[in-house]
Amino acid sequence: MAGYTPVCDVGWKAPGFSLLGVDGKTHRLEELKGSNGTLVMFICNHCPYVKAVIDRVVRDAKELEALGVRAVAICSNDTSIYPDDSFDNMKRFAEQHGFTFPYLHDESQDVARAYDAVCTPDFFGFNANLELQYRGRVDESGREPARPDVRRELFEAMKQIAETGHGPGYQKPSIGCSIKWKAA
């Protein structure tokens, strides 16, 4: 089932976390944050929305790194129901797509709950002070292949945040598959 992200709560502070990455290391938000901004992305391996945009996300993350913006991806899905999102499959997915950023496993789903993540992909763009400035989409393509001239909304928003500390006033929500929550 597809879901949309809520309107950006500008200024909301990023909750800290400590999660295991596919590189075998534990990563903390404070250690990952960029000098000019941080992009926290909730993704997974199986979602058709993520699969449709992941190569553009990897491209954008590489380009944003040069602007002092660091990216991190988190998978929070229940792997007992969606084994495609298992830790081993996360490793393969990161390698297959050439991730240059940490890909972390939120097995407890506590981080997804703290961020109020809704879907995959769900993008949280923070300024240097870890204040939320963007919660929108990569671009208008959704699950479809992007046209060559598609506007790079996520990249442009994060570039603006890196340069000014503030995100765009108008943001279109991301769309994706719902987070696969564990049974209560």
Side-chain angles (χ1 to χ4, degrees), residues 10-71:
V10 175
W12 177 77
K13 290 290 276 185
F17 56 76
S18 177
L19 295 171
L20 181 63
V22 297
D23 59 1
K25 299 176 186 172
T26 298
H27 296 269
R28 290 171 182 74
L29 177 62
E30 281 299 321
E31 298 162 356
L32 294 172
K33 74 178 195 168
S35 58
N36 293 325
T38 307
L39 176 60
V40 177
M41 308 174 281
F42 288 87
I43 67 169
C44 69
N45 310 326
H46 86 274
C47 172
Y49 291 93
V50 172
K51 288 179 178 181
V53 299
I54 196 62
D55 293 329
R56 282 172 276 151
V57 168
V58 169
R59 172 204 64 197
D60 290 353
K62 283 180 190 174
E63 291 181 27
L64 288 167
E65 184 98 23
L67 301 174
V69 175
R70 301 234 12 237

Side-chain angles (χ1 to χ4, degrees), residues 8-173:
C8 181
D9 184 7
V10 175
W12 177 77
K13 290 290 276 185
F17 56 76
S18 177
L19 295 171
L20 181 63
V22 297
D23 59 1
K25 299 176 186 172
T26 298
H27 296 269
R28 290 171 182 74
L29 177 62
E30 281 299 321
E31 298 162 356
L32 294 172
K33 74 178 195 168
S35 58
N36 293 325
T38 307
L39 176 60
V40 177
M41 308 174 281
F42 288 87
I43 67 169
C44 69
N45 310 326
H46 86 274
C47 172
Y49 291 93
V50 172
K51 288 179 178 181
V53 299
I54 196 62
D55 293 329
R56 282 172 276 151
V57 168
V58 169
R59 172 204 64 197
D60 290 353
K62 283 180 190 174
E63 291 181 27
L64 288 167
E65 184 98 23
L67 301 174
V69 175
R70 301 234 12 237
V72 56
I74 300 171
C75 181
S76 300
N77 278 352
D78 180 354
T79 60
S80 67
I81 298 172
Y82 288 87
D84 286 353
D85 294 333
S86 72
F87 192 70
D88 286 340
N89 285 328
M90 287 173 59
K91 290 178 186 177
R92 284 191 273 285
F93 191 76
E95 186 176 313
Q96 176 186 5
H97 293 283
F99 283 20
T100 57
F101 47 84
Y103 190 19
L104 313 179
H105 189 212
D106 178 22
E107 186 174 6
S108 70
Q109 301 185 317
D110 290 344
V111 177
R113 282 190 175 80
Y115 278 74
D116 198 23
V118 173
C119 59
T120 56
D122 198 344
F123 301 100
F124 294 78
F126 297 95
N127 64 17
N129 298 319
L130 292 175
E131 299 163 334
L132 188 63
Q133 299 295 315
Y134 185 74
R135 190 162 182 197
R137 62 190 187 180
V138 172
D139 57 39
E140 66 184 22
S141 62
R143 288 173 58 163
E144 303 304 317
R147 297 182 327 275
D149 64 339
V150 73
R151 186 170 157 248
R152 296 170 64 187
E153 295 171 48
L154 175 66
F155 177 82
E156 290 172 12
M158 293 309 300
K159 182 175 187 243
Q160 180 179 328
I161 291 166
E163 293 170 349
T164 70
H166 302 285
Y170 181 70
Q171 304 174 14
K172 291 197 175 180

